[in-house]
Amino acid sequence: MSTTTTSTTTATATAHSTTNQTISNSSIKRNIGDITDYKNANYFNYYRVLENKNNNPRKTVGLKTIPNNNDTFKLTDFTIESEMNNTCITSIWKQKYSNDSSSPVEGIYRIPLAPYSVVSGFTVEYQDKVFIGKIKSKEKAQNQYSDSIASGGQAFLAEKTKDGEFSFRIGNLPPNENVTIHLTIISEVCPHLSSLQNCFHRFLFPNGSFNFQFNLNIKLTLPIKNIEVLHYSNREIIFKEDTNKKEATISFSSSNGIDNDIVCIVEPENDNEKPQSIIEHSKKDNTYAISVNFTPSFNHLSTDEINQKTEFIFLIDCSGSMRGEPIIKAKRALEIIIRSLNENCKFNIYCFGSNFTKAFETSKMYNDETLTEISEYVENIEANLGGTELFPPIKDILSTEPDFEYPRQLFILTDGEITDRNKLIDYVATESNNTRIFTYGIGHRVDTELVIGLSKACKGYYEMIKDNSNFEEQIMKLVSIAFEPTLSNIKIDWSTELQIEQGPTKIRPLFSGETLIIYALLKENQIPQSNIQVSLIGDGPTGIKLNFPITLDFSKSIDNGNNSIHTLAAFNIIKDLEDDERRGNHSNKRDRIEELGKTYGLISKYTSYIVTSTSEQVTEESMKTLNITGSTTTKTSSIEQVDLSYSQEVQFMMLKQSCVLEELNLREANVYYKKRAKTSVLPQISNIFSKFTSFFLSSSSSSSSSLSSSSSSSSLSSTPTSLPPSTSKTTTSTSTSMSTSKLSQSPTSQPNYSNDPVSKLHENDSDSIENEIKSNGGDNLLKLIKLQKANGSWCSPFSQFKIDLSKKPSNIDNDDIWITLIVINKILNDFPTQQSQYDLVIQKATKWIKQQLTRLNILNEYDSLLSSSKLYI
């Protein structure tokens, strides 16, 4: 039986305020979603990306046989037996294949493995024999496989490809020899909101008919509120008797294969003050492994009580296509955002195009001095940085060592697209343990998958801004999420009695609504006492360090034979070691990776499964290679990889023309022309076009090899600057791999748009936009917000409008308190429809006032003071 014992927190957040909030948060509250909306869950991002990569995924991904071909395997029966606890899902797959080939055959089969899953067992049955896979170093396994095939024997090789797929090869099978494959797949449970989920994506199954049986045995440490199975109404759910609703089974079958995702949703009775733990004992080597999961809730806290540390970084697209209304709106939103931060924050701003600049070399603490500096930086922001090179600034940000005391939250605002989108998304995913990413997609031409993919890869949120009329409101919607309660700087104190190896070593900050899962392996031959007290420690959202004690009762450990917790502990330790290697630390990593892989049957970058058998009858016919999943044609859009003829070179130059013309925003000029019916613009644009045409065609005599070498010589490295974008020596991104339809500029030849007719059109549009903002009162709101100090107050002397300080109540000893109360009322009164823009600004001001009133022992007078000050606005 799975058993865990926990105890309550010893430090909890307490209320600082005795009055109700005057400022409502309702306008920026978010809908957290539904637990059945699994496609928006963070865990589903792997499958979402997989879906977008494939035009016809069922033909190229999963257990796919080639139809109507006598020389192929055919899947006839598929059974999945799964077991689920608080943190792990263990699945035993049994797949039977018929082999109708008339000659010896080698099959190639791939299955997409989510990054939280691992194959830990591999068995093959044929000719009434059972062959159990053994983990060996990858090189030895591949050599043994090749040797067996060459000598006429049968061989089976399983490994994980670089893109995360599980690769399975069946070699030298005699004709008409059927095969049964057993796979053991262990996965972390998939938390989503208040539920634990298990998803078998449809890509794992072929389109054709086959017999399918699914059984899931659920054993939790908490009672189960509800269980759902999506898409399959014929499922049967049974709660086991005498288990206090902690155990249940799900089962269903089909004779027509699988046509949709299998999604099992289990909603337990959550205890948000008690981390849950499971202890697993392995009889094989007499070792123990531990898993800890925790989903805290801080919904009881008011905004006044939140006092957490955070690092905010804003990455703003300043390419040419952002000129006009988008960049004006972005700058205005930035001015509001930076006044919404508090003195517990670090912050920085990056601007990117063909190159990038940043306000500070590294993030700085938020105070009046840095607020003034960064405000000057924002005022100088222009859409003058050329194309859209997103990789270099992101690499510069994420390569900076994170400070887990200040959880890093990155906001990216762009209207563009990049070529190697998936490469960038894969890169940021490797940093998801230390950074949460929020993304904004501006306009109708933005790459939607880029916007969604970057945020999902780092467990953040995204917003598509199609209509600029709601620009600031949509920007602030995500900023407000970043202020939600967080448990950060998390560690587990395993006590001196336990010698453990933890995975992951560094624990991601626990943002609102997220679930923490940690694993640990005890050192070999260590037999702990029955009860040991350990603690989960972290910085709470009120600024207090929280301690959540956990009692580990080793007398109630489980031993179900599959060692799932041991396996996932080793799997997470291996991921940490491989990540260290990726960062350049290669000291003694491979030996430990191989040791863990061989001990727990794990495929890694250094280990593979291998099964070989000496053939009783040497196969003399030549062997055919079949792709069980179907063939995939690799397409390339890289012009450097093609040997260009002269006419193709001309077409390539014309393509480059179109990139430049887009950079000059011809499409926007055309809109301007149609709107104002001014024909004088067209001759100027035509003249520009002819100049670029003659320039590029004059270079068409250059060889295609020179084009290739010019492009291939680029790198991702860059040297950033920390000056405002209008005056700084900007950083040139020499990487062309992440660029699309915008041409990079060199540092010595920054684009100058001041004299071209398109820029003049933008200037006219910008003037009209600014005038419109002023006429709507937006400029006055921004002026008031920009006068706020870093601590949240407005201070004397105050010149925006007249304030009679003689009316200040006698029990207030500071003019700034009275001024701040009046400004709050002024903003609430004059700009009622823009509350979502300034809500965080007002919350910061309110908190500062209450701190001052607490100092004066008159906090209970806050409401009356706010009401009386309203008379003097």
Side-chain angles (χ1 to χ4, degrees), residues 319-389:
S319 60
S321 59
M322 281 288 290
R323 282 187 303 238
E325 186 175 16
I327 199 65
I328 292 173
K329 290 280 191 178
K331 289 173 63 174
R332 188 171 185 276
L334 273 176
E335 291 283 11
I336 297 172
I337 290 171
I338 60 178
R339 265 79 188 180
S340 302
L341 308 183
N342 58 60
E343 292 177 303
N344 273 342
C345 297
K346 294 180 180 179
F347 72 139
N348 204 353
I349 296 177
Y350 281 65
C351 292
F352 75 94
S354 299
N355 38 61
F356 70 93
T357 69
K358 49 186 176 179
F360 308 126
E361 184 59 34
T362 59
S363 295
K364 290 188 177 182
M365 289 301 300
Y366 184 86
N367 54 46
D368 285 333
E369 180 181 353
T370 54
L371 179 58
T372 299
E373 289 181 51
I374 215 161
S375 186
E376 292 175 357
Y377 178 88
V378 172
E379 287 180 2
N380 286 310
I381 289 177
E382 297 177 12
N384 63 351
L385 293 184
T388 307
E389 293 286 350

Side-chain angles (χ1 to χ4, degrees), residues 235-380:
R235 84 290 181 276
E236 184 179 20
I237 300 173
I238 300 175
F239 281 90
K240 294 185 178 181
E241 296 180 0
D242 303 323
T243 63
N244 195 24
K245 295 195 73 174
K246 295 180 180 179
E247 297 186 20
T249 59
I250 300 173
S251 61
F252 74 89
S253 61
S254 168
S255 59
N256 296 313
I258 294 297
D259 60 3
N260 213 329
D261 305 336
I262 303 173
V263 184
C264 303
I265 301 174
V266 180
E267 190 173 10
E269 298 279 358
N270 188 32
D271 189 340
N272 53 40
E273 291 187 349
K274 297 179 181 179
Q276 303 292 303
S277 65
I278 300 176
I279 303 170
E280 180 181 79
H281 177 249
S282 172
K283 291 181 180 178
K284 180 180 178 180
D285 53 10
N286 195 29
T287 58
Y288 291 88
I290 303 168
S291 68
V292 174
N293 66 292
F294 187 34
T295 309
S297 173
F298 299 105
N299 292 335
H300 61 285
L301 296 177
S302 70
T303 54
D304 289 342
E305 296 174 275
I306 305 300
N307 192 36
Q308 61 197 18
K309 297 176 180 179
T310 308
E311 179 183 13
F312 289 92
I313 300 178
F314 304 94
L315 179 56
I316 310 301
D317 189 340
C318 290
S319 60
S321 59
M322 281 288 290
R323 282 187 303 238
E325 186 175 16
I327 199 65
I328 292 173
K329 290 280 191 178
K331 289 173 63 174
R332 188 171 185 276
L334 273 176
E335 291 283 11
I336 297 172
I337 290 171
I338 60 178
R339 265 79 188 180
S340 302
L341 308 183
N342 58 60
E343 292 177 303
N344 273 342
C345 297
K346 294 180 180 179
F347 72 139
N348 204 353
I349 296 177
Y350 281 65
C351 292
F352 75 94
S354 299
N355 38 61
F356 70 93
T357 69
K358 49 186 176 179
F360 308 126
E361 184 59 34
T362 59
S363 295
K364 290 188 177 182
M365 289 301 300
Y366 184 86
N367 54 46
D368 285 333
E369 180 181 353
T370 54
L371 179 58
T372 299
E373 289 181 51
I374 215 161
S375 186
E376 292 175 357
Y377 178 88
V378 172
E379 287 180 2
N380 286 310

Side-chain angles (χ1 to χ4, degrees), residues 147-206:
D147 291 344
S148 179
I149 296 299
S151 63
Q154 286 79 51
F156 307 85
L157 178 69
E159 57 189 0
K160 186 172 68 174
T161 61
K162 291 182 179 180
D163 59 3
E165 286 186 332
F166 172 69
S167 174
F168 170 63
R169 293 161 60 188
I170 307 174
N172 231 17
L173 279 171
N176 302 310
E177 197 64 60
N178 297 337
V179 180
T180 299
I181 308 298
H182 298 265
L183 295 179
T184 300
I185 300 176
I186 299 180
S187 171
E188 290 187 352
V189 74
C190 300
H192 179 47
L193 302 177
S194 60
S195 70
L196 304 177
Q197 302 193 3
N198 179 24
C199 176
F200 290 108
H201 197 275
R202 63 190 181 278
F203 286 179
L204 301 173
F205 310 98

Side-chain angles (χ1 to χ4, degrees), residues 582-745:
R582 181 179 60 83
R583 296 173 185 274
N585 182 3
H586 293 275
S587 58
N588 298 323
K589 304 299 181 185
R590 174 164 185 162
D591 290 346
R592 183 55 176 156
I593 291 172
E594 285 195 14
E595 179 184 5
L596 288 169
K598 292 175 181 179
T599 302
Y600 297 103
L602 294 175
I603 295 175
S604 70
K605 64 185 293 187
Y606 296 125
T607 54
S608 299
Y609 271 110
I610 181 69
V611 180
T612 61
S613 170
T614 302
S615 178
E616 296 177 0
Q617 180 178 0
V618 177
T619 305
E620 297 179 351
E621 297 180 70
S622 60
M623 184 179 65
K624 297 181 180 180
T625 298
L626 302 179
N627 189 338
I628 298 177
T629 62
S631 61
T632 304
T633 302
T634 302
K635 298 180 180 180
T636 176
S637 58
S638 175
I639 197 74
E640 293 86 355
Q641 297 179 11
V642 182
D643 187 13
L644 298 178
S645 65
Y646 177 79
S647 62
Q648 288 173 322
E649 285 185 6
V650 173
Q651 292 174 7
F652 174 56
M653 295 306 174
M654 294 298 290
L655 175 63
K656 293 178 73 175
Q657 285 178 20
S658 67
C659 294
V660 173
L661 291 172
E662 182 177 347
E663 183 53 42
L664 290 174
N665 293 281
L666 270 183
R667 57 184 174 82
E668 295 174 12
N670 190 38
V671 171
Y672 180 88
Y673 165 72
K674 291 179 179 178
K675 183 177 179 181
R676 291 166 172 76
K678 291 186 177 181
T679 57
S680 59
V681 174
L682 292 182
Q684 298 179 67
I685 294 175
S686 178
N687 185 43
I688 296 170
F689 183 92
S690 64
K691 288 181 179 179
F692 279 107
T693 301
S694 63
F695 169 76
F696 283 117
L697 289 181
S698 67
S699 62
S700 64
S701 59
S702 301
S703 68
S704 59
S705 59
S706 66
L707 290 172
S708 177
S709 62
S710 174
S711 298
S712 63
S713 64
S714 62
S715 69
L716 291 175
S717 62
S718 54
T719 307
T721 78
S722 55
L723 298 174
S726 63
T727 58
S728 65
K729 179 182 177 182
T730 54
T731 300
T732 297
S733 163
T734 56
S735 166
T736 59
S737 64
M738 304 301 293
S739 172
T740 57
S741 56
K742 298 174 183 178
L743 295 181
S744 301
Q745 304 290 334

Side-chain angles (χ1 to χ4, degrees), residues 547-587:
N547 186 324
F548 301 90
I550 308 168
T551 301
L552 301 177
D553 188 349
F554 284 84
S555 68
K556 297 180 179 179
S557 61
I558 63 172
D559 187 354
N560 53 19
N562 59 38
N563 286 344
S564 58
I565 296 177
H566 281 77
T567 302
L568 283 181
F571 176 53
N572 277 277
I573 293 167
I574 286 174
K575 285 201 297 185
D576 277 353
L577 295 173
E578 290 180 342
D579 188 59
D580 283 346
E581 283 196 340
R582 181 179 60 83
R583 296 173 185 274
N585 182 3
H586 293 275
S587 58

